[in-house]
Amino acid sequence: MTIRTAVIGVGHFGRLHAEKYAGLTGSKLVAVVDRDPARAAEVAALLGVAASADFRSLFGQVDAVSIAVPTASHFAVAKSCLEAGLHCLIEKPISETLDEADALIASARQHGLVLQVGHLERFSAARVALDGRIQEPLFIECSRIAPFKPRGTDVSVILDLMIHDIDLILELVKAPILSLDAVGVPVLGDHEDIANARIGFANGCVANVTASRISMKSERTMRLFQRSGYLRVDFLQHKVTVIRRGGPVVEGMPNFQIEENVFEEHDSLKREIEAFIGAVANRTPPLVDGPAGRRALETALAITDSLRRWVEKVA
């Protein structure tokens, strides 16, 4: 079965989506859409597909779309596409508000369509490497920092970068949030460029999450503590370090052993889109569905509210 596909919004990331669709078995890339006709024509010419400046021209011509427009336009574009019968992969965050997210989830259910949210880290080799190693986390610490890039600054660093780790943490902990405190500041624009949040869960786990897009270097790490030991994941160096109870291997730490695993990074975006195409073809629930995207958005917005209260307090 071949799924007719298109990409709406072919800026930096949308263009990558289009390239993956064009090269995947089971997908036939039909068109690309961008509000900049020249940009749409450029990408379309490279991939040998049609170009358009109006996403509504896709209705009746394709089965599934990736939506990679600015966050403020996610809801309007996705709602129209779902109502037209198109399966949707929406880049994170799912929408700007929870009411919008609820409306998209309801529309997808009403029309029997796949709604997947682009939380790319779920498909990374690092996340796959954690399978079978996580029991019950007690403390998680995430750091996601990067040099400044204009792309993504239409939203705060919480919705731009931190939401990746928020989604991973929610998936790993699987417990309600009881407390949340956050700090952060804008540096180069109107939205926060650096933020830190401390999240307390009902099962006792605590997560400390830092995100910055004004660093001099890039770092993406997760440290995770549980009763059986400690894990450190380096997403950039493709390494998982595990210290667990076992034997007298670690010097000065009797009854513990250390294990280092270097994993080969794979194309996470390709795997994400393959999973989307598979869900559409087989009518199966996607790995990152609308409710998962909503939970990540809800937490990100709660962090933003906490941060605003902190700013008012220290102003």
Side-chain angles (χ1 to χ4, degrees):
M1 179 180 182
T2 299
I3 306 299
R4 299 172 299 167
T5 57
V7 178
I8 304 172
V10 284
H12 172 77
F13 213 59
R15 174 174 175 166
L16 296 177
H17 275 248
E19 290 173 351
K20 303 307 176 191
Y21 281 117
L24 282 180
T25 301
S27 161
K28 176 178 174 54
L29 183 67
V30 173
V32 296
V33 176
D34 200 276
R35 62 185 178 185
D36 179 352
R39 177 66 179 172
E42 176 190 353
V43 176
L46 287 171
L47 299 175
V49 299
S52 177
D54 185 352
F55 71 89
R56 287 169 292 234
S57 66
L58 301 173
F59 297 171
Q61 306 302 312
V62 301
D63 307 303
V65 295
S66 271
I67 298 172
V69 298
T71 301
S73 299
H74 280 192
F75 175 69
V77 174
K79 183 172 183 292
S80 293
C81 288
L82 289 167
E83 290 175 348
L86 304 185
H87 304 277
C88 293
L89 168 54
I90 308 175
E91 262 308 319
K92 56 81 188 167
I94 184 174
S95 57
E96 281 195 305
T97 71
L98 295 180
D99 285 344
E100 290 176 348
D102 289 337
L104 294 180
I105 292 167
S107 182
R109 286 175 177 165
Q110 177 186 349
H111 295 95
L113 297 167
V114 172
L115 174 60
Q116 181 172 319
V117 185
H119 287 288
L120 187 61
E121 209 67 83
R122 291 275 202 108
F123 299 88
S124 70
R127 173 62 191 91
V128 173
L130 290 178
D131 285 342
R133 302 179 188 274
I134 308 299
Q135 285 85 48
E136 187 176 345
L138 299 174
F139 180 75
I140 301 174
E141 186 170 51
C142 296
S143 180
R144 187 175 293 261
I145 62 177
F148 178 77
K149 296 178 183 176
R151 177 170 52 87
T153 54
D154 59 317
V155 295
S156 76
V157 73
I158 298 166
L159 290 172
D160 179 26
L161 297 182
M162 186 184 285
I163 198 166
H164 286 294
D165 293 314
I166 291 170
D167 175 64
L168 283 178
I169 290 166
L170 294 176
E171 185 218 358
L172 292 172
V173 177
K174 295 181 176 67
I177 293 173
L178 287 187
S179 63
L180 196 155
D181 293 292
V183 297
V185 292
V187 178
L188 298 176
D190 296 330
H191 302 287
E192 289 77 20
D193 295 305
I194 184 168
N196 173 266
R198 187 175 180 86
I199 307 168
F201 292 90
N203 64 355
C205 182
V206 173
N208 188 56
V209 195
T210 299
S212 170
R213 56 189 179 198
I214 52 170
S215 176
M216 298 299 291
K217 63 176 183 177
S218 292
E219 177 183 320
R220 285 192 288 143
T221 58
M222 173 184 283
R223 296 192 302 150
L224 191 149
F225 300 83
Q226 51 193 15
R227 287 182 176 84
S228 60
Y230 158 85
L231 294 89
R232 183 182 187 275
V233 185
D234 190 320
F235 293 89
L236 294 181
Q237 298 299 319
H238 310 154
K239 183 186 295 185
V240 176
T241 302
V242 183
I243 299 177
R244 64 165 68 89
R245 299 179 187 276
V249 178
V250 181
E251 185 176 352
M253 294 176 62
N255 301 319
F256 280 85
Q257 59 179 324
I258 187 168
E259 170 190 330
E260 286 198 347
N261 296 278
V262 177
F263 52 87
E264 183 176 348
E265 186 56 273
H266 56 230
D267 189 333
S268 301
L269 181 59
K270 180 181 177 182
R271 294 207 174 188
E272 176 183 76
I273 293 175
E274 283 177 333
F276 175 56
I277 293 297
V280 171
N282 300 314
R283 294 296 195 272
T284 53
L287 178 64
V288 190
D289 59 11
R294 186 196 189 280
R295 286 192 294 272
L297 175 64
E298 181 179 27
T299 305
L301 293 177
I303 290 171
T304 302
D305 288 344
S306 176
L307 189 154
R308 298 281 190 267
R309 291 193 297 271
W310 173 80
V311 169
E312 291 174 0
K313 186 183 299 184
V314 299

